[in-house]
Amino acid sequence: MKIRSRSLACAAILAITLAAEASASGPYQITATQDTQVGPLVRTELTIQAGPHPLDRFKAVHLEKPDASSRGAILFLPPLGTTFSFYEQRDPNGALGSSIAEFFALRGFDVWGVSPRFEGIPGGTCEAGLLDCSIMGTWNLASMVDDVTFVRALIGDTKVATGGASLGGILALAVANAHPDDYKGILVWEGMLYTPDPAVIALNQGYCAAEEAQLAAGAVYDGVGTNVFQMVTKLSHQTPGGLTPIPLFPPNLTNHQVLVLLVSVPSPSPVTMPVPNYILMNGSLPEDRLFFASEERLYEDVAGRFNDYSPVRLVRDISCSLAGVETIYVSNLGSFHGSVLAIGGGRGFGPYMAGQLAQIGSTDKTFLLTPQFGHIDHYMTPHHRWYVERPVLEWAERVLDPLP
């Protein structure tokens, strides 16, 4: 392990930035940086322009403990609905170190994160023509791999593990497929891009065809799905006992019942049902409760961290990969020989992830399955430390910072 100071770290980032900009696959340029002190940690936020269009930009975050021993880097990749802030959400008590990112930074790991290009675009602005959102038609899984690859170059010559939840796990597979020698390990948490299961293939063939039809008709973004989820969550938080005003749902249900219905009852949609029996969080509509999730964590995550748009081309790449139509994002996974930590829920991708893991060339694979959990229960439970941080820490210490 090496000791780093803040001044040395800044100088290193500057040198690495110049090299990364010179070698990147697109016209990447860091246009702004902002440092913030977070207890003993320093948080650096970088704004990166990825193309000439004003919306072709994204953010990266570096969270470190200056003057500490570097134990390697963990590059967290975002879920579809939200941003890197997902990993910065603290417990409801606000304690320093209770977020996933702070947990690892306080233990000497360089924590990096990427947020998507569609972060921060205000809802309704695309539909109203206030912004030219046509560029979203070029935002697919490959463009996200390019963005992650640029940030990987910023990290420089150190051991790196990457991955995350949902789309973060999907991206981990895609970047390992594209650059198998760049990462010591990948965290595949409730995500996959391939399955041999005929039921999953058939389900996603329908979604794939629908999304390709949307693209052919000129649709480049979805501004409805996450906004409905945000509205349902907001109403449940503010007036849980009031009857729902949203016409998509039975009018006799309360706002809280609609929330439980939305997250815990399977519903056919490319976002909420990519595999049979899939739910976001386990719960019971008759009992009007969630079994494992902290509603406080849920309300904070959705209210303050969700994106208003998702690119249709990106969702198409995921559905069409699971349908077996798109294969470019998994065709080289046999060349990845780093370590793999997979985390799955029995009511999410978990029962179908084995086929994906079998594609990976690594002989070092660990699969942690919690049968009762939905897609995001590992994160939403108040006991997330035992289901996420501690197993990832044990893995990262072995893969990135082994004992002499």
Side-chain angles (χ1 to χ4, degrees):
M1 296 185 295
K2 59 183 179 181
I3 306 294
R4 63 184 184 277
S5 68
R6 181 63 186 161
S7 59
L8 287 175
C10 290
I13 286 180
L14 177 59
I16 294 166
T17 298
L18 296 174
E21 289 175 357
S23 63
S25 58
Y28 289 89
Q29 182 180 6
I30 296 175
T31 58
T33 62
Q34 181 178 2
D35 283 355
T36 307
Q37 194 76 35
V38 184
L41 305 174
V42 175
R43 182 186 187 274
T44 302
E45 183 174 284
L46 301 88
T47 302
I48 301 165
Q49 193 70 28
H53 193 283
L55 293 182
D56 252 341
R57 79 288 177 270
F58 65 98
K59 290 181 179 178
V61 172
H62 180 210
L63 192 64
E64 66 168 341
K65 188 176 182 181
D67 302 314
S69 298
S70 176
R71 308 179 70 185
I74 302 175
L75 173 56
F76 284 111
L77 308 178
L80 178 62
T82 181
T83 69
F84 173 69
S85 65
F86 177 89
Y87 304 101
E88 295 188 289
Q89 181 177 338
R90 293 178 177 175
D91 287 344
N93 62 14
L96 176 69
S98 61
S99 75
I100 293 174
E102 290 172 352
F103 178 89
F104 288 99
L106 288 171
R107 285 159 177 79
F109 291 94
D110 275 320
V111 173
W112 288 78
V114 178
S115 292
R117 299 185 194 186
F118 44 97
E119 174 189 14
I121 302 174
T125 55
C126 294
E127 295 88 338
L130 300 176
L131 289 174
D132 172 16
C133 298
S134 59
I135 192 65
M136 285 197 214
T138 68
W139 294 352
N140 58 5
L141 200 55
S143 67
M144 293 199 76
V145 169
D146 286 344
D147 295 348
V148 173
T149 301
F150 177 79
V151 176
R152 171 63 185 90
L154 291 179
I155 298 173
D157 187 18
T158 189
K159 294 179 179 179
V160 181
T162 192
S166 193
L167 176 61
I170 288 170
L171 267 172
L173 293 163
V175 299
N177 180 80
H179 305 286
D181 297 325
D182 285 359
Y183 301 93
K184 290 293 181 181
I186 57 172
L187 169 62
V188 186
W189 170 7
E190 267 296 302
M192 63 186 200
L193 280 170
Y194 164 80
T195 178
D197 187 278
V200 179
I201 292 171
L203 182 65
N204 284 278
Q205 283 175 341
Y207 296 148
C208 174
E211 287 144 13
E212 290 189 326
Q214 290 178 41
L215 290 169
V220 298
Y221 58 80
D222 173 19
V224 177
T226 57
N227 285 319
V228 170
F229 193 22
Q230 286 175 304
M231 184 182 300
V232 167
T233 305
K234 179 180 179 181
L235 290 170
S236 178
H237 191 203
Q238 293 178 344
T239 54
L243 294 179
T244 179
I246 304 175
L248 295 172
F249 303 102
N252 61 314
L253 295 183
T254 67
N255 291 320
H256 190 268
Q257 287 174 321
V258 168
L259 175 67
V260 175
L261 170 69
L262 187 64
V263 302
S264 68
V265 176
S267 115
S269 156
V271 174
T272 57
M273 193 179 169
V275 297
N277 205 35
Y278 177 102
I279 54 175
L280 291 173
M281 288 159 264
N282 207 344
S284 168
L285 181 58
E287 298 176 55
D288 191 21
R289 69 184 182 99
L290 302 176
F291 293 151
F292 306 108
S294 159
E295 292 191 15
E296 288 182 86
R297 278 179 69 79
L298 170 60
Y299 293 142
E300 181 184 346
D301 180 56
V302 177
R305 303 172 193 276
F306 260 50
N307 300 307
D308 289 316
Y309 295 98
S310 57
V312 175
R313 191 167 294 279
L314 171 63
V315 179
R316 175 266 171 207
D317 281 356
I318 297 169
S319 294
C320 292
S321 292
L322 291 173
V325 174
E326 183 63 81
T327 61
I328 62 170
Y329 298 110
V330 296
S331 58
N332 192 42
L333 276 174
S335 298
F336 182 74
H337 300 289
S339 183
V340 181
L341 175 60
I343 297 175
R347 296 294 306 277
F349 281 115
Y352 306 95
M353 289 174 66
Q356 175 71 88
L357 297 177
Q359 277 195 321
I360 302 172
S362 172
T363 57
D364 178 7
K365 305 174 194 176
T366 303
F367 184 26
L368 305 177
L369 178 68
T370 307
Q372 303 90 348
F373 277 6
H375 179 59
I376 207 65
D377 272 323
H378 298 85
Y379 177 82
M380 288 299 175
T381 173
H383 308 295
H384 58 88
R385 187 77 77 243
W386 298 104
Y387 293 100
V388 180
E389 288 96 310
R390 293 206 176 274
V392 174
L393 175 63
E394 181 180 340
W395 173 71
E397 287 177 332
R398 176 173 63 83
V399 172
L400 299 177
D401 186 34
L403 294 173

